[in-house]
Amino acid sequence: MYEGAMRETLPRLKYDGRLGWAKIYGRLIIGWLDNHADQVADIDFILGNPTAPDRQPQHVEEIMRGSSEANRTGRWPIADPDRPVLTKTRATAASAGAGTSWGSKWAAAEEHAAALELHRPVDGLCLLLVDDVFTTGAQMTTVARFLLAHGAAEVRGLVLARVPWH
């Protein structure tokens, strides 16, 4: 859940640029994969939901770099962080924030997906899309639709934290 320690530390990476947290979050992803190997054994490729090019730090990219470094045995098919498969070409409206309406979040998620660029074929692949925080699912849904429209056979999601419903 996106509360407690997770709510305290993730913003330090995402907004303050404390990149050491990316390695920790990357290790958490590898730990989850190792502990749930039966649920992801058929995954062909693992990639992050990209950050806008002008945003610093590139937090999801740094988390995926941390995952790649923690994947020392090469067990998991994590995208090479130096050769991204999926990038975001421009800044888009923010979808996060207290008080943001569902319609605004959905519009921002669609704008995010429209700004994506795919750099290698994903035809017939089962993909695992990684993101930091799941709030409404709008962005994960629109990115999954983008990947499916480009030939992916299946897209599953993995997030570090989920915002609790109140």
Side-chain angles (χ1 to χ4, degrees):
M1 294 301 268
Y2 189 59
E3 56 190 11
M6 185 64 80
R7 190 170 182 93
E8 292 173 24
T9 60
L10 190 55
R12 291 179 187 164
L13 163 64
K14 195 170 182 173
Y15 302 112
D16 297 341
R18 296 185 189 178
L19 296 180
W21 285 106
K23 289 182 186 270
I24 294 167
Y25 290 130
R27 289 181 188 142
L28 286 175
I29 290 168
I30 296 300
W32 188 92
L33 292 168
D34 287 343
N35 288 324
H36 297 85
D38 59 322
Q39 296 175 33
V40 290
D42 59 340
I43 294 293
D44 296 306
F45 210 58
I46 302 169
L47 64 159
N49 183 14
T51 308
D54 64 333
R55 183 165 177 188
Q56 295 300 321
Q58 296 278 293
H59 65 288
V60 173
E61 290 75 5
E62 289 300 322
I63 292 168
M64 295 310 296
R65 183 176 299 285
S67 293
S68 183
E69 291 171 5
N71 187 31
R72 290 190 178 107
T73 63
R75 179 179 186 184
W76 302 109
I78 296 172
D80 180 348
D82 295 320
R83 295 179 45 220
V85 172
L86 187 64
T87 58
K88 189 170 178 181
T89 61
R90 59 184 167 79
T92 58
S95 62
T100 305
S101 72
W102 169 252
S104 295
K105 287 179 183 288
W106 192 260
E110 288 177 331
E111 184 183 4
H112 172 79
L116 298 178
E117 186 174 341
L118 195 58
H119 301 282
R120 79 173 251 191
V122 294
D123 298 327
L125 299 180
C126 181
L127 306 175
L128 183 63
L129 179 65
V130 177
D131 208 346
D132 57 346
V133 179
F134 180 98
T135 305
T136 63
Q139 197 168 100
M140 189 71 76
T141 299
T142 58
V143 175
R145 286 181 182 163
F146 172 88
L147 293 165
L148 291 166
H150 283 83
E154 182 178 353
V155 180
R156 297 182 202 159
L158 177 64
V159 295
L160 289 167
R162 178 177 62 83
V163 172
W165 292 94
H166 296 298

